[in-house]
Amino acid sequence: KHDMGEAAALEKDGVERDLQLELAAQPQALGEDLRLVRREWPTDIGPVDLMCKDEDGQWVAVEIKRIATMEAVEQLTRYLERIRLDPAMSGCRGILAAQKLRPQAATLADARGILTVEVDLDALRGRREPDLTLFR
């Protein structure tokens, strides 16, 4: 009998997959003028969700979670260590994007120079009603 647990664990949570697709399409939603270079950028310890370049041409690795925990910060830290081994990418910085940020995760990320961004999937999809609608 094949154990689906392991395969399922490798599959991204649906929300995370949707967030990745939306942010890949509009990386500037992360609050900067970012340009997507590639989704699922490979490192020797696993893929980073999005690899972008900022307006100065610097590399930015983006890890996307439904809920950003301290483990997510550790994961992105490990990816950044691997990516920065390439001299051409030694200045790569990280952004942890999530629907919800745990306070401890935000503190740890800040201490490590990783930017955290809370993103709203509905807003990214353009489905949410604006808070204030004039001329109803």
Side-chain angles (χ1 to χ4, degrees):
K1 172 166 141 7
H2 182 68
D3 178 25
M4 290 303 290
E6 203 174 334
L10 294 172
E11 261 305 301
K12 269 203 168 298
D13 159 294
V15 172
E16 287 179 11
R17 191 189 56 241
D18 290 353
L19 280 169
Q20 188 190 96
L21 289 167
E22 292 295 340
L23 289 170
Q26 43 184 335
Q28 63 286 357
L30 293 167
E32 296 182 39
D33 189 14
L34 297 175
R35 176 174 62 78
L36 179 71
V37 176
R38 177 176 175 171
R39 282 179 57 203
E40 300 288 339
W41 180 280
T43 77
D44 54 6
I45 55 170
V48 177
D49 290 328
L50 305 178
M51 187 61 82
C52 300
K53 281 196 165 180
D54 66 17
E55 53 195 354
D56 299 324
Q58 296 299 309
W59 292 98
V60 182
V62 182
E63 187 62 24
I64 299 164
K65 298 289 181 198
R66 194 165 56 82
I67 299 170
T69 59
M70 287 175 62
E71 177 48 44
V73 178
E74 298 287 0
Q75 183 185 4
L76 181 51
T77 299
R78 290 192 297 268
Y79 288 153
L80 287 168
E81 283 170 356
R82 307 311 296 172
I83 292 163
R84 289 169 179 160
L85 291 174
D86 178 342
M89 301 181 83
S90 61
C92 184
R93 56 194 178 87
I95 297 179
L96 179 58
Q99 279 213 294
K100 185 167 177 48
L101 280 167
R102 294 262 183 264
Q104 312 93 309
T107 301
L108 184 61
D110 192 48
R112 295 194 179 172
I114 292 171
L115 200 67
T116 51
V117 183
E118 266 191 351
V119 286
D120 180 328
L121 185 55
D122 290 333
L124 285 174
R125 288 174 173 152
R127 290 185 186 167
R128 162 167 300 180
E129 281 286 290
D131 294 328
L132 181 67
T133 309
L134 298 174
F135 314 120
R136 261 252 150 90

